[in-house]
Amino acid sequence: MAGPSTSRALTEVEQVTALNEVLDDETLSNYSSDDESASDYDYTQLVPPETISASERDSEPEDIVAHDELEEVPRRFVWEDIDSFHASRESFCGVCGPQFDTAELDVVSVFESIFDISLVQLIVDETNRYAQQEISKIARPLTFRSRIRKWEDVTVDEMYVVLALIMLTGIDQRPTLRSYYSKNRLLFTPFFAETLPLERLEVIMRFLHFSDNSKQNEYQGPSKLFKIYPVIQHLSRKFQILYLPGHNIAIDESLTLWKGRLSFKQYLPLKAAKFGIKTFELCESSSGYVWSFLVYTGQGMELTNQYVTAETNKTTAIVITLLENLLGRGHTVWMDNFYNSPDLARFLKSKNTDCVGTLRPNRKNVPPLVKDKKLKKVLAWQDKKRVTMISTYHKNDMRVVVNRANKTEIKPVVVCDYNKNMLGVDLKDQMLQPYLLERKKGTKWYLKLFRRLLNVAIHNSMVIYRSHTNKQNLDTLQFRLSLVQGLVEKHSSGVRRPVHGRPSVLPPPKRLTERHFLERIPPTGKKARPHRRCVVCGKKGQRKDTQYWCGECEAALCLEECFKAYHTLLHF
């Protein structure tokens, strides 16, 4: 996030000078722009009537433009004196928070309200279809492919269990999937093996799919997102209908790490990942709830809605698309200088939406005077570097604050408010960072993006769950652990249980710590006094059968020395 620095005391606050003249078309044509695609797109209103003071109404016609004449003089701005500028903030309307009753819902129910059965059923259908298509192409049964030939269709319950195990890999991060099934005493985690066999999890992850390749000719969405567009479309809709963000919202970009070949891969040196898939996101400032998002697919990315035309500035189109369903509710949107412009601020104000953030002085329709002097609605402030702000309701009020060095300094109120409310996307990224599901390496970009979206869905579920006053004490780790356990308990009944064979040659670590007793091997349906091969003798290369075992470890052991050695020696 690009924004004002707060690490140094205020060194200079320049005096604001009034500019009460109307800029003519010739002057506007001389303004420079940092965006070659910037347009002269004219929005409906320029200056609302309530923002023109009584003194300006009495002024000469050549000094001020009447509101009735705005339709005839498009692309002209009235830069008001700070004393005549009515700094009124839009009133927020609506009940923010979850748009349904969450009092009786548990962790699993809240998550399934977002990642509901319709989406999981779609993933199941496409995975099964893709698996059948790929299996038919196999010519020779190799080691891994021989297991593929035994493919059984995935069920909805099984897919929910797979999602739970993927979530757990974000909490317990390891280099490979097989390491979660290791019998090594340093890595042993019985939960994975008890929930789903390794071979089954590997083959499901191998064929995980989200769209029907045979219907690509009928596809109407962004061409580069065909592989994962059904998931994007579903989650984007669910995020918006289940929750209404509060008064302050922020727009910024986020990056999902991807270093492989991809036509729309981006390089952002200021981000932690630096290389990857960029998304534009609108988040609630206080919680980081992701309300809407757009996956950037390059310069050819198309954005169309009722307010955007082919001539609209690209960054303006991004903001309007993200905000489209929130316009008119009185929100205040906080943005950095990548998005802000006078055109955009004027349009949002006309839609009862405030706009605050940093501004690039060379944006179109920003007078050259702003580089040297302060205007009334565009405020420049000198910190480590010159910072220019634009706001539709702030004035030039100052505030005394205490910095990190325990020293007092004076800052504009707009800068203090910006630093407080621009953190929505960064807050979300910080809360996802310790539990990154997309950390695992892969060869398919859409699988990594799917893991990222799954992680965002978990975060949004937590925000919804914790919005209830009785559920705010649950921290992030507890929520995720409860979600994993709840999904497995709810859906494990529909999962085929693994059939356990004889104990592994490398015994589990509990053999050295718990209490153990020697018992006779219990009779089976075929044998009244069964015998098994001694584990310790087999380790030494000797073949010796015994009718005794440790019932706790289920390991056959000789009566004399083998039982003692097995439970006292690490390497017997």
Side-chain angles (χ1 to χ4, degrees), residues 464-516:
I464 293 176
Y465 182 82
R466 294 175 62 183
S467 63
H468 196 277
T469 55
N470 297 331
K471 302 174 181 178
Q472 295 179 353
N473 295 329
L474 195 66
D475 62 23
T476 305
L477 179 58
Q478 291 175 337
F479 179 87
R480 288 177 177 261
L481 289 174
S482 300
L483 179 57
V484 171
Q485 183 176 357
L487 285 173
V488 172
E489 290 178 353
K490 181 177 180 179
H491 298 282
S492 59
S493 59
V495 178
R496 303 173 187 87
R497 290 292 181 181
V499 179
H500 296 287
R502 294 187 178 183
S504 171
V505 175
L506 184 60
K510 64 182 180 180
R511 67 186 177 89
L512 301 175
T513 57
E514 300 179 0
R515 300 177 64 185
H516 303 271

Side-chain angles (χ1 to χ4, degrees), residues 126 130 133 209 211-217 226-227:
E126 298 303 334
Y130 180 67
Q133 293 173 355
H209 217 66
S211 59
D212 187 356
N213 294 337
S214 63
K215 296 183 179 180
Q216 190 165 3
N217 294 333
F226 168 75
K227 290 289 188 180

Side-chain angles (χ1 to χ4, degrees), residues 18-247:
L19 180 60
N20 288 326
E21 60 182 2
V22 179
L23 305 177
D24 55 22
D25 289 332
E26 182 179 356
T27 306
L28 289 175
S29 65
N30 294 329
Y31 291 162
S32 62
S33 173
D34 62 325
D35 189 352
E36 295 179 356
S37 65
S39 69
D40 292 333
Y41 183 76
D42 178 40
Y43 298 112
T44 55
Q45 297 184 25
L46 189 59
V47 180
E50 62 270 17
T51 63
I52 302 179
S53 66
S55 60
E56 291 173 322
R57 296 180 190 273
D58 299 333
S59 59
E60 294 296 326
E62 61 269 21
D63 294 331
I64 200 72
V65 176
H67 184 262
D68 294 336
E69 299 173 6
L70 295 180
E71 298 293 340
E72 302 176 3
V73 284
R75 302 184 302 279
R76 295 184 180 181
F77 286 85
V78 176
W79 297 97
E80 300 176 341
D81 187 280
I82 197 66
D83 296 327
S84 63
F85 172 53
H86 289 233
S88 60
R89 189 177 187 182
E90 299 293 336
S91 298
F92 178 70
C93 59
V95 180
C96 61
Q99 300 302 292
F100 61 102
D101 186 15
T102 62
E104 303 299 328
L105 296 181
D106 58 7
V107 172
V108 175
S109 300
V110 174
F111 173 76
E112 290 183 351
S113 65
I114 296 178
F115 234 89
D116 61 19
I117 191 171
S118 63
L119 176 59
V120 176
Q121 185 65 60
L122 181 145
I123 298 174
V124 167
D125 293 341
E126 298 303 334
T127 299
N128 291 333
R129 180 183 292 108
Y130 180 67
Q132 296 296 339
Q133 293 173 355
E134 291 298 303
I135 291 171
S136 63
K137 300 176 183 178
I138 298 176
R140 294 182 301 172
L142 302 178
T143 304
F144 181 73
R145 291 179 177 178
S146 63
R147 295 199 296 271
I148 295 178
R149 287 187 178 275
K150 301 177 182 178
W151 168 264
E152 296 181 2
D153 284 350
V154 187
T155 63
V156 171
D157 287 330
E158 197 171 22
M159 185 57 68
Y160 269 118
V161 170
V162 170
L163 295 177
L165 294 181
I166 294 176
M167 296 175 195
L168 191 54
T169 62
I171 300 173
D172 182 9
Q173 297 174 5
R174 298 186 185 181
T176 63
L177 186 61
R178 285 183 170 268
S179 61
Y180 292 99
Y181 290 81
S182 174
K183 295 295 182 66
N184 188 303
R185 64 191 300 262
L186 300 177
L187 301 175
F188 185 65
T189 308
F191 183 81
F192 279 85
E194 293 171 358
T195 304
L196 199 66
L198 172 62
E199 292 78 9
R200 182 60 176 171
L201 181 58
E202 282 183 332
V203 77
I204 291 176
M205 296 303 298
R206 164 71 173 78
F207 292 126
L208 193 62
H209 217 66
F210 315 108
S211 59
D212 187 356
N213 294 337
S214 63
K215 296 183 179 180
Q216 190 165 3
N217 294 333
E218 305 172 8
Y219 173 66
Q220 301 295 327
S223 59
K224 296 182 179 180
L225 299 178
F226 168 75
K227 290 289 188 180
I228 197 173
Y229 189 70
V231 178
I232 294 175
Q233 192 176 36
H234 176 92
L235 293 180
S236 180
R237 178 176 58 86
K238 282 291 185 177
F239 290 167
Q240 296 185 25
I241 65 177
L242 295 177
Y243 190 89
L244 179 65
H247 200 167

Side-chain angles (χ1 to χ4, degrees), residues 251-268:
I251 292 179
D252 205 350
E253 57 266 11
S254 184
L255 199 68
T256 301
L257 178 63
W258 176 258
K259 293 185 178 180
R261 297 179 63 181
L262 188 63
S263 61
F264 53 92
K265 180 177 66 175
Q266 298 293 301
Y267 172 64
L268 299 180

Side-chain angles (χ1 to χ4, degrees), residues 502-539:
R502 294 187 178 183
S504 171
V505 175
L506 184 60
K510 64 182 180 180
R511 67 186 177 89
L512 301 175
T513 57
E514 300 179 0
R515 300 177 64 185
H516 303 271
F517 300 95
L518 189 67
E519 305 172 358
R520 285 185 180 273
I521 299 176
T524 63
K526 296 181 179 180
K527 294 184 179 180
R529 302 182 65 182
H531 290 68
R532 289 187 182 179
R533 186 177 302 177
C534 176
V535 175
V536 177
C537 294
K539 189 76 172 179

